[in-house]
Amino acid sequence: MKKIGIIDLGTNTFNLLLTQIEEQNYTILHKNKIAVKLGEGGITKGFIAPTAYQRGLDALKAHKETLAKYHIDEYYAVATSAIRSADNGTQFVNDAQEQLGIHINVIDGDKEADLIYTGVKQALDLEEKPKLIIDIGGGSTEFIIANSKESFWKKSYQLGAARLLEAFMPQDPISLDDVNAIESHLAVTLEDMIEMAETYEVDCLIGSSGSFDTLAEMISCKKGNCAAWKDEKHFDFDMHDYNEVQRLIYGSTIKERLKMEGLIPMRSDMIVIAIVIINFILNTLTIHNLRLSSYALKEGLIDTLLRKPHQWQKSSL
């Protein structure tokens, strides 16, 4: 029996997953996330701004203390878009090693998509008909077309919510012109994804964690039980409920969103961009089936470690 931890260094949050391994299975001991907004003030310029940089190091320090508290045997830190694409991303990795003794595995978009797919497969049955999986991060957004047996196509785009927010700087509340501008950018950038999704005739969009967690919680809160969606590894959206919440978000100011039940402050600005992306996909591909997978990259990495541990460098010795 062994305890293994995962630190997922995302653009918006640094996520921690602690597990207990027994044979080829794992149970979750503890989950936590710390808002870092690593892309704030620099993501469109290709660097991590000083304040965000320090928030990232502070979050790693806090997670390391939690790892010690739970007597974790080994852990793995994985960095994605914000760190891999920043000019000072390598310096951040070096500082984490020198100041905190944490080795960070920096992964590319393809590996990120693979891990997301592996995580989603554990949360719900993808069945035989290909589905479109989307993971909206702060720096990048991954798209995967897959069924329960295999991944047919995948790609990571520089279309994260934080990146688009800083690039387009929409009005508050967002205007129709803002939405049209972002959608025009999505139409050009995602042309190959749309073509592949139509080729595979996908009719279901599965969102992994992040903004989709927020939407599920907001809907659950409106029904009187904010935690209802957390009872399962997945959540099926009723499209009427989704449309009601997305219209509410579209028409609100950030001040109003900060008061909305189920919407955490960290996502109060980026949730609008996430809605633009989701609506664009649903409308362009005429999809009426929207689902959430609570599992994503970190659960995918745990599963991979059970099967191929030699592919990853431990962040602790």
Side-chain angles (χ1 to χ4, degrees):
M1 196 179 300
K2 182 189 292 186
K3 292 180 182 178
I4 295 181
I6 302 292
I7 305 176
D8 170 13
L9 288 75
T11 304
N12 294 327
T13 57
F14 282 8
N15 299 286
L16 181 68
L17 174 68
L18 306 184
T19 64
Q20 185 163 290
I21 308 296
E22 194 164 2
E23 296 179 351
Q24 288 297 300
N25 298 302
Y26 72 90
T27 54
I28 296 174
L29 299 174
H30 177 75
K31 293 171 81 169
N32 186 31
K33 61 178 63 176
I34 298 175
V36 294
K37 286 198 170 184
L38 209 58
E40 189 172 60
I43 195 164
T44 57
K45 301 169 188 139
F47 74 96
I48 304 169
T51 303
Y53 195 103
Q54 190 58 50
R55 281 199 301 264
L57 291 175
D58 290 344
L60 285 179
K61 183 180 179 181
H63 280 330
K64 190 171 182 183
E65 289 170 356
T66 304
L67 289 164
K69 177 183 173 184
Y70 278 83
H71 305 290
I72 297 300
D73 297 303
E74 61 189 52
Y75 66 96
Y76 300 78
V78 176
T80 54
S81 179
I83 291 174
R84 69 171 173 249
S85 62
D87 291 340
N88 56 346
T90 300
Q91 183 60 51
F92 184 90
V93 170
N94 291 339
D95 283 346
Q97 179 75 63
E98 291 172 10
Q99 296 180 28
L100 301 169
I102 298 175
H103 169 78
I104 297 172
N105 294 274
V106 181
I107 61 173
D108 62 23
D110 277 355
K111 176 60 71 174
E112 187 173 356
D114 286 340
L115 293 175
I116 291 164
Y117 169 57
T118 303
V120 170
K121 275 199 305 181
Q122 298 173 63
L124 47 82
D125 183 4
L126 295 177
E127 302 174 329
E128 189 172 341
K129 185 170 176 58
K131 311 292 190 298
L132 178 60
I133 300 167
I134 178 175
D135 187 294
I136 303 173
S140 65
T141 294
E142 284 66 46
F143 290 88
I144 305 111
I145 297 173
N147 64 11
S148 60
K149 295 179 182 177
E150 61 183 313
S151 168
F152 302 107
W153 181 90
K154 64 191 174 189
K155 190 169 180 179
S156 177
Y157 297 85
Q158 296 283 68
L159 292 174
R163 196 179 297 277
L164 291 176
L165 187 67
E166 290 215 1
F168 286 90
M169 298 181 67
Q171 296 179 49
D172 183 35
I174 193 168
S175 70
L176 183 58
D177 286 344
D178 292 327
V179 174
N180 290 337
I182 297 169
E183 286 190 341
S184 294
H185 179 62
L186 294 175
V188 173
T189 309
L190 296 175
E191 187 175 2
D192 54 345
M193 184 281 293
I194 293 165
E195 182 180 340
M196 295 305 296
E198 290 174 341
T199 298
Y200 282 97
E201 299 180 341
V202 301
D203 60 0
C204 177
L205 180 64
I206 299 171
S208 67
S209 62
S211 298
F212 292 90
D213 283 351
T214 297
L215 292 169
E217 183 146 351
M218 290 181 73
I219 289 170
S220 297
C221 285
K222 288 178 76 68
K223 292 179 178 295
N225 182 4
C226 289
W229 70 280
K230 296 179 181 178
D231 293 340
E232 303 289 342
K233 298 174 185 175
H234 58 85
F235 179 88
D236 292 347
F237 290 92
D238 177 284
M239 293 311 293
H240 173 77
D241 292 337
Y242 169 75
N243 285 325
E244 188 177 313
V245 168
Q246 65 91 14
R247 281 195 297 268
L248 180 67
I249 290 169
Y250 260 164
S252 64
T253 64
I254 190 166
K255 188 175 180 180
E256 291 168 335
R257 289 193 296 278
L258 284 168
K259 298 176 183 177
M260 290 182 183
E261 198 173 12
L263 177 53
I264 59 175
M266 187 209 70
R267 295 199 185 279
S268 58
D269 52 358
M270 287 177 279
I271 191 67
V272 180
I273 303 296
I275 289 292
V276 176
I277 296 171
I278 296 166
N279 285 353
F280 174 79
I281 301 302
L282 293 175
N283 295 330
T284 302
L285 297 174
T286 322
I287 291 174
H288 304 290
N289 190 1
L290 181 62
R291 307 183 73 188
L292 156 73
S293 164
S294 297
Y295 283 14
L297 183 150
K298 54 191 182 296
E299 290 83 6
L301 178 51
I302 280 288
D303 185 74
T304 301
L305 287 167
L306 293 177
R307 294 178 288 107
K308 301 174 183 177
H310 61 279
Q311 291 186 349
W312 297 91
Q313 183 173 339
K314 295 177 186 177
S315 294
S316 60
L317 298 176

